[in-house]
Amino acid sequence: MIRVNTINGELLCRMLLNGFTSLSYNKDYLDDLNVFPVSDSDTGTNMKNTFEKGIAELTDESSFHTVFSAFVKGMLVGSRGNSGLILSQYFLGIYDYTKDKESVTSADLCGALQHAYCMACRAVLQPAYGTMLTVMRDAISRVVPKISEKTSAKEFFNIFVEEMFLCTQETVKQMDMLRENNVVDSGALGLYLIFDGMKRTLNGDVQYFDCEQSELLPKRIPSVAKNVSFFRYCTEFILKKHDTQKRDYFVSLLEEKGESIVVAEDGDILKVHIHTNKPQEIIDEFSEYGNIAIKKVDDLFMTQEFEKLKQRKHAEFAVVAFTNGEGNATLLEQLGVDVAFSVPAGHFPDEDELKMLLDDLLEENLIVFPDDKQIQERLKRIKWFSNLGNLYVAETDSLPKTFFTLSSLIFADDFKNITKSLDNLKKQQTFQTKITATGTKEDEQYSAYLNNKVIAENNFKALLNVVANEDVLSQYSTVVVFGGKDCRPNDVASVCAHFENNDSIEFTYFDGGQCDCDFIIGAF
């Protein structure tokens, strides 16, 4: 068996070609596996197209540095999608660490892969746990204690790829979306396939990992429905800067305009990926700082993932809701809403953004349930200034009010009868407050009871006593609690026990998934 101690440019070229073949062989499987950040079935395609642009720039050189330099520049310019841009940053990190090296050792690779993770992670504004970034970090951290100066490049790749696959298998348990669909992260698996192909070059193995036939990967649950994305357009562009502003400045221009944001910089080239509702506004703003070389805008609402946008539960009208939290959105859809948009925490959509989201629905009779006062007022202005007699904005400016109204409403197919029923339900009084284990966010009507009181965790029950003041609850017969995304199981148990012990009320708990507080407590 040949011992490969270092990797030069010629060997690197063959390894990258093999990695590309391994990825391409499984492209369709990766597309089918894709559920995060949206199930738009393109992760395999984007990673393949990105890697292919690097392959096209490979040179016939003996220097590791020269070959890798051309490869990563091709990847950055040609990167596609969220996964492709992250992948390009990862390989750019390897290049950045190994600059000017004619060949690399296992020690070089160890340092380069740690640096590559940091560079890829820095490009992503809100890294998610259980993705290819997690595998980039965890795989190399497990390898470091297992190698020494005597470890050959071949031995290093064998150890690294084995750990990478184990980390990829673990992603199914690391993110709710992956767990619910019983899948590993498609980007993480694509990364593994690239390195597995590279490893096989060193081992003289002509076979490739076949995801479709593997018994080591979980089988996807095909029937899991996903909430409609609040941000409609997948937007990518390359800016050739003529301005001296750095990456962090451009990041600040994007932070409140979308999600799945990746910003990469290489010299005067800036590559941007964002899911947003204002693609042209962003592109126009960035064009002030340079020339837009390449741009691509895809409408996520046109993908098969969000086919339910074209479906209706009611014959004469559509029903839409705006809420906070994926669990709350799912609950409202179960109560009769056609589409519930989960507004990201800290995002405050303006009238143009709301109208754009409802654009395809405004041609028919439409009932909208907001659970926020600001959104409610903006929807009313849209109705007024556009003279939309077919748009009805429900008087539901809180989540409990929305829940109560939908629970009390018996849907029929007559639009006028439904709106008349909604008018009758306006008078129902509801109560809402938001709390966390360390404080409260007061409701205007009950500020005398709450006073935005900050408490210690061990006084959590005392907070509940304030929230559930008998003078307040005596006015209501039902209490509903919506649990936040990060609320702790012990606090959920405390909340439920607190209200379940009150015989004078009917109590229900839901996993709401909101990010701005631990619990929303409502009564009616």
Side-chain angles (χ1 to χ4, degrees):
M1 183 177 292
I2 300 175
R3 180 179 176 84
V4 180
N5 290 317
T6 62
I7 299 173
N8 61 15
E10 182 183 350
L11 178 55
L12 172 65
C13 190
R14 288 192 284 120
M15 292 173 69
L16 290 172
L17 286 167
N18 241 23
F20 174 68
T21 304
S22 174
L23 177 67
S24 302
Y25 186 80
N26 293 281
K27 175 185 74 69
D28 292 342
Y29 183 90
L30 295 175
D31 282 344
D32 291 340
L33 198 70
N34 173 208
V35 297
F36 177 83
V38 292
S39 303
D40 45 2
S41 301
D42 66 356
T43 292
T45 299
N46 286 336
M47 294 182 77
K48 174 184 176 294
N49 290 345
T50 299
F51 212 78
E52 190 171 28
K53 294 297 183 181
I55 292 294
E57 300 299 322
L58 286 176
T59 59
D60 185 17
E61 300 283 347
S62 60
S63 165
F64 183 97
H65 163 74
T66 305
V67 171
F68 218 43
S69 174
F71 174 75
V72 298
K73 288 182 179 179
M75 281 188 76
L76 179 62
V77 174
S79 62
R80 294 291 181 269
N82 190 53
S83 56
L85 186 47
I86 294 172
L87 186 68
S88 72
Q89 288 300 287
Y90 186 63
F91 278 90
L92 181 62
I94 298 173
Y95 161 75
D96 186 60
Y97 189 89
T98 57
K99 277 188 292 191
D100 301 325
K101 288 187 177 291
E102 294 295 313
S103 62
V104 298
T105 65
S106 58
D108 293 327
L109 289 170
C110 195
L113 290 167
Q114 292 176 83
H115 181 71
Y117 158 70
C118 293
M119 184 167 283
C121 191
R122 182 176 181 270
V124 182
L125 262 65
Q126 296 177 320
Y129 187 57
T131 64
M132 61 194 300
L133 286 171
T134 307
V135 172
M136 291 173 183
R137 180 195 65 195
D138 292 353
I140 191 61
S141 67
R142 296 180 186 184
V143 169
V144 171
K146 297 182 179 182
I147 68 165
S148 67
E149 293 182 359
K150 297 181 180 179
T151 303
S152 68
K154 179 178 176 180
E155 292 167 336
F156 174 87
F157 262 87
N158 285 337
I159 296 169
F160 179 63
V161 170
E162 181 181 3
E163 293 295 346
M164 183 173 277
F165 186 69
L166 293 174
C167 291
T168 299
Q169 285 179 307
E170 291 169 7
T171 60
V172 70
K173 302 175 183 178
Q174 294 171 340
M175 185 191 300
D176 291 342
M177 195 180 299
L178 300 177
R179 188 183 302 107
E180 290 165 1
N181 287 273
N182 195 43
V183 295
V184 299
D185 179 68
S186 55
L189 183 58
L191 184 71
Y192 161 76
L193 290 167
I194 291 169
F195 279 87
D196 184 63
M198 294 173 73
K199 177 203 75 172
R200 290 172 188 262
T201 307
L202 298 174
N203 289 310
D205 187 351
V206 297
Q207 299 297 315
Y208 295 103
F209 188 93
D210 189 334
C211 295
E212 198 70 51
Q213 300 300 320
S214 175
E215 297 296 326
L216 300 175
L217 295 172
K219 304 303 178 184
R220 179 174 181 176
I221 300 171
S223 58
V224 177
K226 187 177 183 295
N227 298 119
V228 174
S229 170
F230 179 79
F231 294 108
R232 179 169 180 171
Y233 296 102
C234 177
T235 304
E236 295 180 87
F237 59 88
I238 291 178
L239 177 72
K240 291 188 175 180
K241 296 188 298 178
H242 56 55
D243 194 278
T244 57
Q245 297 287 0
K246 297 298 184 182
R247 174 187 174 277
D248 288 347
Y249 172 78
F250 293 105
V251 167
S252 70
L253 300 180
L254 298 170
E255 285 178 317
E256 297 181 358
K257 295 179 181 177
E259 63 185 8
S260 296
I261 303 172
V262 185
V263 181
E265 185 179 43
D266 184 20
D268 63 347
I269 299 294
L270 194 79
K271 186 70 181 282
V272 174
H273 174 280
I274 183 173
H275 290 178
T276 182
N277 289 327
K278 300 183 176 183
Q280 194 56 52
E281 180 181 308
I282 290 173
I283 291 172
D284 289 345
E285 183 177 16
F286 272 68
S287 65
E288 297 177 9
Y289 300 93
N291 298 319
I292 302 295
I294 301 172
K295 66 178 179 180
K296 183 172 75 76
V297 179
D298 294 327
D299 188 348
L300 296 174
F301 286 5
M302 301 303 292
T303 62
Q304 187 176 358
E305 178 188 22
F306 300 137
E307 191 67 25
K308 65 180 179 179
L309 278 165
K310 303 172 186 176
Q311 301 169 358
R312 297 289 175 269
K313 296 176 181 177
H314 318 286
E316 291 190 6
F317 54 89
V319 183
V320 173
F322 289 94
T323 188
N324 181 337
E326 300 288 343
N328 291 327
T330 299
L331 174 63
L332 298 183
E333 289 181 0
Q334 292 171 349
L335 292 173
V337 171
D338 292 305
V339 177
F341 292 104
S342 175
V343 183
H347 186 77
F348 305 100
D350 58 26
E351 290 174 40
D352 289 338
E353 193 170 3
L354 292 170
K355 193 169 183 178
M356 182 277 302
L357 288 170
L358 298 174
D359 187 46
D360 296 335
L361 298 158
L362 289 173
E363 297 177 0
E364 55 192 300
N365 291 327
L366 178 63
I367 302 171
V368 183
F369 291 87
D371 73 0
D372 175 89
K373 291 180 181 179
Q374 283 188 332
I375 292 179
Q376 183 187 61
E377 290 304 315
R378 288 168 184 169
L379 288 167
K380 286 181 177 180
R381 284 197 291 269
I382 290 172
K383 174 182 172 66
W384 175 262
F385 289 110
S386 299
N387 194 27
L388 296 172
N390 62 325
L391 172 62
Y392 182 94
V393 181
E395 296 291 335
T396 55
D397 56 7
S398 68
L399 180 58
K401 185 76 171 180
T402 303
F403 177 80
F404 164 78
T405 303
L406 285 168
S407 300
S408 304
L409 196 62
I410 300 175
F411 282 106
D413 290 333
D414 190 298
F415 180 65
K416 290 184 178 179
N417 285 343
I418 291 298
T419 55
K420 187 180 296 184
S421 297
L422 286 168
D423 286 336
N424 292 333
L425 290 170
K426 289 179 183 178
K427 300 174 184 178
Q428 176 66 38
Q429 185 180 12
T430 62
F431 157 67
Q432 168 179 301
T433 189
K434 297 181 178 182
I435 67 171
T436 69
T438 57
T440 69
K441 296 185 178 181
E442 59 186 341
D443 181 272
E444 291 179 2
Q445 186 178 0
Y446 292 95
S447 58
Y449 294 110
L450 301 176
N451 295 320
N452 208 27
K453 182 180 178 182
V454 177
I455 63 165
E457 289 186 17
N458 60 2
N459 288 330
F460 187 54
K461 192 169 183 179
L463 172 62
L464 290 175
N465 287 330
V466 174
V467 173
N469 185 287
E470 290 183 4
D471 292 340
V472 176
L473 287 184
S474 63
Q475 306 172 51
Y476 306 99
S477 61
T478 303
V479 171
V480 180
V481 174
F482 306 89
K485 182 178 180 181
D486 299 318
C487 62
R488 299 168 302 184
N490 287 346
D491 291 335
V492 173
S494 296
V495 169
C496 291
H498 188 83
F499 288 107
E500 285 169 350
N501 291 333
N502 190 327
D503 295 333
S504 63
I505 61 170
E506 181 182 340
F507 169 71
T508 308
Y509 175 84
F510 295 102
D511 289 321
Q514 67 272 3
C515 298
D516 59 344
C517 61
D518 284 343
F519 300 99
I520 296 175
I521 298 178
F524 43 84

